[in-house]
Amino acid sequence: MLKPRSPLQIKKSVIFALVLREARSRFGDRRMGATWTLIEPICHLLILSVLFGLLRGRTVAGIDFPVFVLVGLAPFLLFRNTALRLMNSPKENRALFSYKQIKPLDTYIARVLVEFSISATVYAILVFGFAWFGFDMAIKSPIEWMLTVLLGVIFSFGLGMLLSLIAHAMPSSTLFIRMMFFPLYFMSGVLIPASYLPHAMLPLLLLNPFLHLMELIRAEIFPHYVPVDGISVIYVIAFTLVLLFVSLGTYRVRRLHLISTKNG
Amino acid sequence: MFELRNITKSYLTPKGRRHVFRDLSLKIPAGKNIGLIGRNGSGKSTLVRLLGGADVPDSGTVATDKSISWPVGLSGGFQSTMTGRENIKFVSRVYGAVGDAMRRKVAYVEDFAEIGSWIDEPVKTYSSGMRSRLAFGLSMAFDFDYYLIDEVMSVGDAHFKRKCADVFEERLQKSKVVLVSHNMSEIKKLCDVVLLVRDGGVQIYDDVDEGIKAYNT
């Protein structure tokens, strides 16, 4: 007979199993899947940063442009991909909920872990690569920087969860949500400093937590980078807490529908 | 034993909420093979899912101190891009079988399913028969107190059917079944107690023949 396990043990083994499964399915489709999973975002980041470096001239705000793009774009892609992957999670994992140990929340956590691990590996490779070619990759305040990235991941977790619940209730909204992430690219100051954005619009643009995160990350990496007025970590934390509260609350209300076979 | 206390279960459909059970309370005696009968759409599968914990009631509780399997022969949970072996490992991990225990499960399913080297091919390349063999073998690799069987009892060719019946017979020495079936001879053969699901209610018949008679009238 099966040995009884504590809830914590069950949770741990379920999340571990899901992480491995998630990684497998990300790598599994193609020959040399693991290598490709890393090379794809590396190429994306490399091409964008070098291309914009060539187009825009060598430096921005006294920083080498490829470095400037890399340190902003990499975390932004991590946040965006996390949110979008979580959005599709209940739909793609629905068959698994027949195993009673597996809950939708576990699949969210597993996805975040996998996405984060892949992004961190890609970023580390690129940073070492850039440093190899003589760019200054030093981080001014590494601990604050790590905490900010972590905050961003938690924020994306809340956002992705909420999006998944919306997508589950209204399946046709996923296309619209995906499209919303395009303007976000420009409104979040991923490729340019926030001080280059139109000043009249700033109060409105500052409602976007991604803009805060991007500016904070850059200010924590570059020694002389000055973020625009109104950037505050407190705002992002407050936003994240409210978002987590809303998405976890909605999850609690909708959890029966998420695992139900009759709808969605 | 199972005890259902004030279970209410409904589903939200595009046309509104549909109640399957309202305020249902039920005690199923321990150590019995349970048969579920009832018309299509009467709520048998919902009841099985509630007993197995795959679905959660809107309100009320399902109490049991026994381990219950996932629906036997469930192949929907297989990730089609992963190999058969990886899928077995996934389920083993979920059920807490790691290390040596996992190797034993994989060896058992490999031996039972008889799909040879196909076990290392992605599941999407399998024929439906191979899929069912794998799924059935996987269910049998774990020792549950109760096995949930929803309508599908035997799969594959004659040889595999016999093998399934044999392993099941042996398993029933120690374990019990919760069987959903429209096949009354199967119910008669395997079950000690019958639950007749009708109009959102459930009646227990300790006498199987009596239950079947009530179902037929």
Side-chain angles (χ1 to χ4, degrees):
Chain A
M1 295 297 122
L2 292 176
K3 274 196 294 278
R5 294 177 290 163
S6 74
L8 196 66
Q9 278 173 316
I10 293 176
K11 196 110 213 145
K12 224 176 70 185
S13 55
V14 165
I15 290 175
F16 179 62
L18 282 170
V19 164
L20 291 186
R21 178 195 169 95
E22 196 71 38
R24 271 276 162 213
S25 65
R26 290 285 290 276
F27 298 164
D29 261 352
R30 294 162 289 190
R31 203 173 284 274
M32 311 232 308
T35 323
W36 265 114
T37 310
L38 294 179
I39 287 180
E40 217 172 70
I42 288 178
C43 289
H44 183 166
L45 287 165
L46 207 60
I47 289 171
L48 270 184
S49 52
V50 171
L51 192 73
F52 274 95
L54 288 175
L55 287 178
R56 286 287 192 71
R58 294 283 301 155
T59 58
V60 60
I63 304 152
D64 286 327
F65 200 81
V67 181
F68 181 88
V69 170
L70 179 68
V71 301
L73 190 58
F76 181 76
L77 289 181
L78 164 65
F79 301 153
R80 190 196 67 175
N81 292 348
T82 303
L84 288 179
R85 293 245 172 225
L86 289 201
M87 178 172 84
N88 294 327
S89 173
K91 202 174 79 196
E92 289 169 8
N93 289 310
R94 196 165 57 198
L96 290 182
F97 303 141
S98 300
Y99 300 107
K100 64 177 167 184
Q101 290 85 349
I102 304 176
K103 299 293 173 211
L105 190 61
D106 302 326
T107 66
Y108 294 139
I109 295 171
R111 286 211 160 179
V112 172
L113 291 177
V114 170
E115 192 62 46
F116 183 78
S117 309
I118 292 175
S119 288
T121 313
V122 166
Y123 190 62
I125 292 172
L126 279 171
V127 165
F128 281 115
F130 272 47
W132 183 271
F133 285 101
F135 289 104
D136 179 14
M137 299 308 289
I139 298 170
K140 188 182 72 179
S141 355
I143 293 173
E144 284 94 329
W145 172 70
M146 275 189 251
L147 290 176
T148 309
V149 172
L150 189 67
L151 177 66
V153 171
I154 297 171
F155 171 76
S156 324
F157 178 75
L159 180 66
M161 211 163 136
L162 192 64
L163 291 182
S164 82
L165 293 161
I166 295 172
H168 183 260
M170 292 180 288
S172 51
S173 63
T174 53
L175 191 71
F176 179 71
I177 293 171
R178 279 185 178 282
M179 273 161 52
M180 288 291 287
F181 272 87
F182 272 116
L184 210 56
Y185 214 94
F186 302 103
M187 280 167 12
S188 308
V190 178
L191 300 175
I192 47 168
S195 50
Y196 287 22
L197 293 167
H199 275 263
M201 297 286 283
L202 259 188
L204 212 60
L205 291 172
L206 278 172
L207 292 175
N208 169 13
F210 283 118
L211 183 63
H212 290 254
L213 284 166
M214 291 299 113
E215 286 286 282
L216 285 166
I217 283 172
R218 283 194 287 253
E220 282 151 6
I221 288 185
F222 305 123
H224 304 297
Y225 187 85
V226 185
V228 291
D229 282 341
I231 295 293
S232 102
V233 70
I234 303 295
Y235 175 75
V236 187
I237 292 174
F239 202 110
T240 305
L241 284 179
V242 172
L243 187 65
L244 273 181
F245 178 77
V246 170
S247 44
L248 285 169
T250 318
Y251 173 78
R252 172 83 195 157
V253 174
R254 298 277 305 177
R255 71 195 192 290
L256 298 182
H257 296 296
L258 283 176
I259 61 171
S260 156
T261 48
K262 307 269 186 216
N263 47 27
Chain B
M1 67 168 272
F2 292 95
E3 194 179 349
L4 280 67
R5 295 189 205 105
N6 308 97
I7 296 290
T8 299
K9 180 71 194 168
S10 64
Y11 289 107
L12 208 55
T13 61
K15 290 272 156 61
R17 191 172 285 279
R18 283 179 189 275
H19 277 85
V20 186
F21 300 115
R22 272 181 217 268
D23 210 20
L24 175 74
S25 292
L26 190 66
K27 250 188 194 166
I28 306 173
K32 296 274 172 83
N33 291 308
I34 303 161
L36 267 79
I37 52 179
R39 295 268 179 82
N40 288 130
S42 59
K44 297 185 299 296
S45 293
T46 303
L47 186 59
V48 165
R49 291 173 62 83
L50 288 172
L51 290 176
D55 222 331
V56 187
D58 300 352
S59 63
T61 50
V62 181
T64 178
D65 53 353
K66 299 291 185 209
S67 61
I68 302 144
S69 77
W70 65 88
V72 168
L74 174 85
S75 58
F78 290 150
Q79 168 86 37
S80 59
T81 57
M82 294 195 328
T83 67
R85 187 187 301 278
E86 285 161 358
N87 274 298
I88 300 167
K89 284 183 172 179
F90 171 74
V91 176
S92 302
R93 282 195 196 99
V94 168
Y95 278 83
V98 288
D100 258 351
M102 182 194 286
R103 273 188 283 280
R104 276 201 302 278
K105 303 286 181 214
V106 175
Y108 180 90
V109 181
E110 221 177 331
D111 177 57
F112 189 89
E114 291 178 1
I115 56 174
S117 57
W118 280 93
I119 196 131
D120 288 313
E121 299 285 348
V123 170
K124 65 182 169 194
T125 61
Y126 287 16
S127 72
S128 61
M130 287 158 70
R131 245 173 216 261
S132 334
R133 279 160 172 259
L134 188 70
F136 193 85
L138 188 53
S139 302
M140 288 303 127
F142 292 86
D143 292 317
F144 293 105
D145 295 325
Y146 282 91
Y147 287 90
L148 290 186
I149 304 168
D150 196 344
E151 312 233 13
V152 62
M153 188 44 190
S154 45
V155 289
D157 48 33
H159 164 74
F160 190 70
K161 271 184 186 157
R162 204 159 44 242
K163 194 170 175 178
C164 290
D166 286 349
V167 70
F168 219 78
E169 194 129 330
E170 173 231 308
R171 205 46 67 86
L172 284 182
Q173 307 293 321
K174 289 181 291 177
S175 310
K176 300 289 168 220
V177 283
V178 179
L179 174 67
V180 179
S181 183
H182 293 286
N183 182 346
M184 290 306 143
S185 59
E186 212 170 70
I187 294 267
K188 257 187 218 172
K189 202 175 89 193
L190 285 171
C191 302
D192 310 318
V193 52
V194 166
L195 304 187
L196 175 57
V197 187
R198 193 158 54 184
D199 307 325
V202 179
Q203 287 136 301
I204 301 190
Y205 293 92
D206 287 322
D207 183 351
V208 176
D209 290 322
E210 204 177 306
I212 292 172
K213 214 163 78 190
Y215 169 64
N216 284 331
T217 51

